[in-house]
Amino acid sequence: MQPVSALKGVGPRVAEKLGRLGLHTIQDMLFHLPLRYQDRTRITPVGSLMPGREAMFCGRIELADVVYRGRRNLLCRVADGTGSVLLRFFHFSGAQRDSLQRGVLMRCFGEVRSGQTGPELIHPEYELLPAGSEPQPENRLTPVYPTTDGMHQLSLRRLIGEALDTRLQGIREWLPDEVLDLLRLPTLREALDFVHRPPPGAPVGVLMQGRHPAQQRLAYEELLAHCLGLRRLRERIRQHDAPGIDADGALFRRLVLQLPFALTAAQQRVIGEIVEDLRQRQPMQRLVQGDVGSGKTLVAAAAALHAVEGGWQVAIMAPTELLAEQHWRNLREWFAPMDIEVAWLAGRHSVRARRSMSQLLASGRAPVAVGTHALFQREVGFHRLGLVIVDEQHRFGVHQRLMLREKGAADGRIPHQLIMTATPIPRTLAQSVYADLDVSVIDELPAGRQPVETAVVPDSRRDTVVQRVRRACLEKRQAYWVCPLIEESDALELQTATATEVALRQALPELQIRLVHGRMKPAEKEQVMAAFKGGEVDLLVATTVIEVGVDVPNASLMIIENAERLGLAQLHQLRGRVGRGAAASSCVLMYRAPLSAAARERLATMRATSDGFEIARKDLEMRGPGEVLGTRQAGEQQFHIADLVRDQSALPQIEKVATILLDRYPQHVAPIVRRWLGIRGSYADV
Ligand code: ADP
Ligand code: MG
């Protein structure tokens, strides 16, 4: 395909900017789809402008003035008989200022905000209209493209327009007829043209929601491209050798004997699946999904012991230091009786400490290493790495997965990989998002867990909540009082937690109250936690440090302050700290009014269910997969046009079509993947 520089007006500088958007060829331009549309097909009366919405309106300038409020502002009041609105400019030329005269008629477009004196817009797009003219709305929707610094929306729109005019005809249909017949959707060319330039009269609402057949056609192909890309990645990994690890499970049996409980059937089944994979000479690529508290750590330990028994090393990676430390403590305790050394590698360790850990690993003296991604820095070498375990994988995207798998083991073989997540997602979705992985589900909680009864209470009823804590603790139960992040600052979080602790001590003098937070020294933290675990402390005031890992079965009441600020996944994790013992547990979600609609929905969901799958489904619906699965944080591109939640029902069919293509049209696969994933998805050119 021709490079972008074949377009008129694209010199080296523009080409470089387009390159930053991943646009290298003209085909890339055609597949750079609008993020959304602006609706300039209606003129909104100024009196009905709504803050937070984009709108087009017309009116006359009533007043224009330059004022100094710290900096120079050009203010312009525009009215149309139904109301008035303020336009605010911080950067303006003399000519611009002179043109904005009282009485001039203008058409304006932008996002409305609520200002001090009513609705206002900052730097709106505007156009002056000749006196006496009748303002006209546009007759088609305006596409808005993802762009980058220095690449103006209008220029991008023009370049894409040119690509459509001159090159759309050359675009190839890679879906075979039998698939097209199945789809009954527009052809690729029709769809691309429609989506870039919806014709006049195109249904605005349907397009805005992304449900037009032209959009569906493209979304379908995009999802297919991802699915194909991941399946090929899987195939590529399969071509590598992995150590076939033989062991008869003696070490794990020893661990099980030490445990005060029996494995659940689900744990046994999943461990069986993993061990079977580990015996193969093909690399395991397995994802374990299991709700909070379903006992994933033990499953990881089983996998690790199998590898160690077979003479291989294991690396266990967690997304945060806290979680890594937690695993390290757990495993060290479990493995100590078997004389298995567990090395711990954290970013905050001194260079010297890290070096000595690295030596332990490189020499093979430590069979197990736990750490954050620091484990996978270049300088860390393993003697015989046979298995990589990644915990809480939802925070790592495909790229990270790929990087890990490429981390070679001894003699050209690559390690087996096990990924664990507590963000369970629906099966159809998992098959698509993790098309490169086999999925095991721990679909059972240890026996005796009772659902946590959850109440949602405004913080104006704090006194009642405090009394509830008193009653519970006097009955010899224990409680958590969680003070989550108020501002984006550890220091402030700490301040709130400290103040809360003081207030609670005053209100509840008869109780033993302690505070635990992230800034405490590990030894101090451990001492407080041990006292809580030992029952000497009734009420533990905590920051969200206790989100993961803390396990005190006698604690059966949890209060979460500012619950309205937390996401569903985090609330679910926190609540998972109670309901672990024999007693019935409860959780009070305290909020500060007024609640946003989204917060209200989150809290209602938490009250309605304790099923992690259900909560994840709701989370996906509310936030979208990019946020929930962490691909956005991981810096991975979102889909151009597909939406995993909206388009979920198409996924099973897409799976089938992917199989048809791989089996019968293998030469079509690479062009489809490249077209949609370009060079951005490194798994595209696998
Ligand atoms: P998660 O799946 O959230 O990572 P953990 O591995 O932290 O869960 O396990 C939660 C708690 O349940 C731990 O205290 C663990 O020791 C305990 N546990 C694990 N498996 C069982 C089981 N089969 N029966 C009872 N308790 C279990
Ligand atoms: Mg866990």
Side-chain angles (χ1 to χ4, degrees), residues 402-415:
L402 188 63
M403 185 192 80
L404 285 177
R405 270 181 267 188
E406 305 271 274
K407 182 103 187 169
D411 52 43
R413 290 183 280 186
I414 66 170

PDB file of all heavy atoms in Angstrom, residues 402-415:
ATOM      1  N   LEU A 402       3.036 -10.540  26.058  1.00  0.00           N
ATOM      2  CA  LEU A 402       3.935 -10.972  25.013  1.00  0.00           C
ATOM      3  C   LEU A 402       5.381 -10.878  25.481  1.00  0.00           C
ATOM      4  O   LEU A 402       6.168 -11.811  25.339  1.00  0.00           O
ATOM      5  CB  LEU A 402       3.728 -10.069  23.792  1.00  0.00           C
ATOM      6  CG  LEU A 402       4.450 -10.489  22.538  1.00  0.00           C
ATOM      7  CD1 LEU A 402       3.927 -11.845  22.099  1.00  0.00           C
ATOM      8  CD2 LEU A 402       4.232  -9.462  21.445  1.00  0.00           C
ATOM      9  N   MET A 403       5.696  -9.740  26.095  1.00  0.00           N
ATOM     10  CA  MET A 403       7.056  -9.502  26.554  1.00  0.00           C
ATOM     11  C   MET A 403       7.498 -10.605  27.510  1.00  0.00           C
ATOM     12  O   MET A 403       8.615 -11.104  27.430  1.00  0.00           O
ATOM     13  CB  MET A 403       7.087  -8.156  27.251  1.00  0.00           C
ATOM     14  CG  MET A 403       8.427  -7.676  27.681  1.00  0.00           C
ATOM     15  SD  MET A 403       8.194  -6.276  28.787  1.00  0.00           S
ATOM     16  CE  MET A 403       7.799  -7.122  30.314  1.00  0.00           C
ATOM     17  N   LEU A 404       6.576 -10.981  28.407  1.00  0.00           N
ATOM     18  CA  LEU A 404       6.911 -12.013  29.371  1.00  0.00           C
ATOM     19  C   LEU A 404       7.176 -13.340  28.695  1.00  0.00           C
ATOM     20  O   LEU A 404       8.075 -14.079  29.044  1.00  0.00           O
ATOM     21  CB  LEU A 404       5.751 -12.201  30.346  1.00  0.00           C
ATOM     22  CG  LEU A 404       5.632 -11.108  31.360  1.00  0.00           C
ATOM     23  CD1 LEU A 404       4.423 -11.355  32.231  1.00  0.00           C
ATOM     24  CD2 LEU A 404       6.893 -11.096  32.199  1.00  0.00           C
ATOM     25  N   ARG A 405       6.348 -13.648  27.735  1.00  0.00           N
ATOM     26  CA  ARG A 405       6.506 -14.942  27.090  1.00  0.00           C
ATOM     27  C   ARG A 405       7.801 -15.019  26.315  1.00  0.00           C
ATOM     28  O   ARG A 405       8.344 -16.069  26.088  1.00  0.00           O
ATOM     29  CB  ARG A 405       5.315 -15.216  26.192  1.00  0.00           C
ATOM     30  CG  ARG A 405       4.246 -15.934  26.989  1.00  0.00           C
ATOM     31  CD  ARG A 405       3.074 -16.230  26.137  1.00  0.00           C
ATOM     32  NE  ARG A 405       2.110 -15.154  26.267  1.00  0.00           N
ATOM     33  CZ  ARG A 405       0.894 -15.207  25.750  1.00  0.00           C
ATOM     34  NH1 ARG A 405       0.525 -16.241  25.043  1.00  0.00           N
ATOM     35  NH2 ARG A 405       0.067 -14.228  25.929  1.00  0.00           N
ATOM     36  N   GLU A 406       8.251 -13.850  25.862  1.00  0.00           N
ATOM     37  CA  GLU A 406       9.470 -13.848  25.074  1.00  0.00           C
ATOM     38  C   GLU A 406      10.702 -13.982  25.953  1.00  0.00           C
ATOM     39  O   GLU A 406      11.803 -14.152  25.471  1.00  0.00           O
ATOM     40  CB  GLU A 406       9.567 -12.555  24.273  1.00  0.00           C
ATOM     41  CG  GLU A 406       8.351 -12.317  23.432  1.00  0.00           C
ATOM     42  CD  GLU A 406       8.455 -12.942  22.056  1.00  0.00           C
ATOM     43  OE1 GLU A 406       9.009 -12.295  21.173  1.00  0.00           O
ATOM     44  OE2 GLU A 406       7.981 -14.088  21.884  1.00  0.00           O
ATOM     45  N   LYS A 407      10.493 -13.840  27.274  1.00  0.00           N
ATOM     46  CA  LYS A 407      11.625 -13.964  28.181  1.00  0.00           C
ATOM     47  C   LYS A 407      12.105 -15.407  28.144  1.00  0.00           C
ATOM     48  O   LYS A 407      11.473 -16.300  28.687  1.00  0.00           O
ATOM     49  CB  LYS A 407      11.171 -13.573  29.595  1.00  0.00           C
ATOM     50  CG  LYS A 407      12.263 -13.613  30.624  1.00  0.00           C
ATOM     51  CD  LYS A 407      12.742 -12.232  30.938  1.00  0.00           C
ATOM     52  CE  LYS A 407      13.964 -12.296  31.844  1.00  0.00           C
ATOM     53  NZ  LYS A 407      14.626 -11.006  31.971  1.00  0.00           N
ATOM     54  N   GLY A 408      13.170 -15.630  27.462  1.00  0.00           N
ATOM     55  CA  GLY A 408      13.594 -16.994  27.178  1.00  0.00           C
ATOM     56  C   GLY A 408      14.090 -17.737  28.404  1.00  0.00           C
ATOM     57  O   GLY A 408      14.514 -17.150  29.380  1.00  0.00           O
ATOM     58  N   ALA A 409      14.002 -19.027  28.357  1.00  0.00           N
ATOM     59  CA  ALA A 409      14.555 -19.846  29.425  1.00  0.00           C
ATOM     60  C   ALA A 409      15.849 -20.472  28.914  1.00  0.00           C
ATOM     61  O   ALA A 409      16.348 -20.104  27.866  1.00  0.00           O
ATOM     62  CB  ALA A 409      13.573 -20.929  29.804  1.00  0.00           C
ATOM     63  N   ALA A 410      16.307 -21.423  29.679  1.00  0.00           N
ATOM     64  CA  ALA A 410      17.556 -22.075  29.311  1.00  0.00           C
ATOM     65  C   ALA A 410      17.424 -22.789  27.960  1.00  0.00           C
ATOM     66  O   ALA A 410      16.337 -23.172  27.565  1.00  0.00           O
ATOM     67  CB  ALA A 410      17.909 -23.077  30.402  1.00  0.00           C
ATOM     68  N   ASP A 411      18.489 -22.967  27.301  1.00  0.00           N
ATOM     69  CA  ASP A 411      18.633 -23.700  26.047  1.00  0.00           C
ATOM     70  C   ASP A 411      17.472 -23.550  25.055  1.00  0.00           C
ATOM     71  O   ASP A 411      16.909 -24.515  24.563  1.00  0.00           O
ATOM     72  CB  ASP A 411      18.922 -25.202  26.319  1.00  0.00           C
ATOM     73  CG  ASP A 411      17.905 -25.827  27.278  1.00  0.00           C
ATOM     74  OD1 ASP A 411      16.718 -25.532  27.108  1.00  0.00           O
ATOM     75  OD2 ASP A 411      18.322 -26.572  28.185  1.00  0.00           O
ATOM     76  N   GLY A 412      17.099 -22.264  24.812  1.00  0.00           N
ATOM     77  CA  GLY A 412      16.158 -22.001  23.723  1.00  0.00           C
ATOM     78  C   GLY A 412      14.709 -22.342  24.007  1.00  0.00           C
ATOM     79  O   GLY A 412      13.842 -22.057  23.196  1.00  0.00           O
ATOM     80  N   ARG A 413      14.452 -22.937  25.134  1.00  0.00           N
ATOM     81  CA  ARG A 413      13.062 -23.227  25.437  1.00  0.00           C
ATOM     82  C   ARG A 413      12.438 -22.055  26.175  1.00  0.00           C
ATOM     83  O   ARG A 413      13.131 -21.330  26.876  1.00  0.00           O
ATOM     84  CB  ARG A 413      12.981 -24.497  26.294  1.00  0.00           C
ATOM     85  CG  ARG A 413      13.356 -25.712  25.472  1.00  0.00           C
ATOM     86  CD  ARG A 413      13.215 -26.965  26.257  1.00  0.00           C
ATOM     87  NE  ARG A 413      14.347 -27.181  27.145  1.00  0.00           N
ATOM     88  CZ  ARG A 413      14.491 -28.299  27.870  1.00  0.00           C
ATOM     89  NH1 ARG A 413      13.579 -29.240  27.823  1.00  0.00           N
ATOM     90  NH2 ARG A 413      15.537 -28.458  28.642  1.00  0.00           N
ATOM     91  N   ILE A 414      11.154 -21.860  26.030  1.00  0.00           N
ATOM     92  CA  ILE A 414      10.543 -20.755  26.766  1.00  0.00           C
ATOM     93  C   ILE A 414       9.701 -21.312  27.907  1.00  0.00           C
ATOM     94  O   ILE A 414       9.215 -22.429  27.846  1.00  0.00           O
ATOM     95  CB  ILE A 414       9.725 -19.806  25.857  1.00  0.00           C
ATOM     96  CG1 ILE A 414       8.505 -20.497  25.268  1.00  0.00           C
ATOM     97  CG2 ILE A 414      10.575 -19.220  24.749  1.00  0.00           C
ATOM     98  CD1 ILE A 414       7.571 -19.509  24.575  1.00  0.00           C
ATOM     99  N   PRO A 415       9.575 -20.506  28.966  1.00  0.00           N
ATOM    100  CA  PRO A 415       8.877 -21.010  30.147  1.00  0.00           C
ATOM    101  C   PRO A 415       7.368 -21.152  29.919  1.00  0.00           C
ATOM    102  O   PRO A 415       6.800 -20.503  29.053  1.00  0.00           O
ATOM    103  CB  PRO A 415       9.141 -19.944  31.208  1.00  0.00           C
ATOM    104  CG  PRO A 415       9.613 -18.739  30.498  1.00  0.00           C
ATOM    105  CD  PRO A 415      10.129 -19.155  29.166  1.00  0.00           C
TER     106      PRO A 415
END
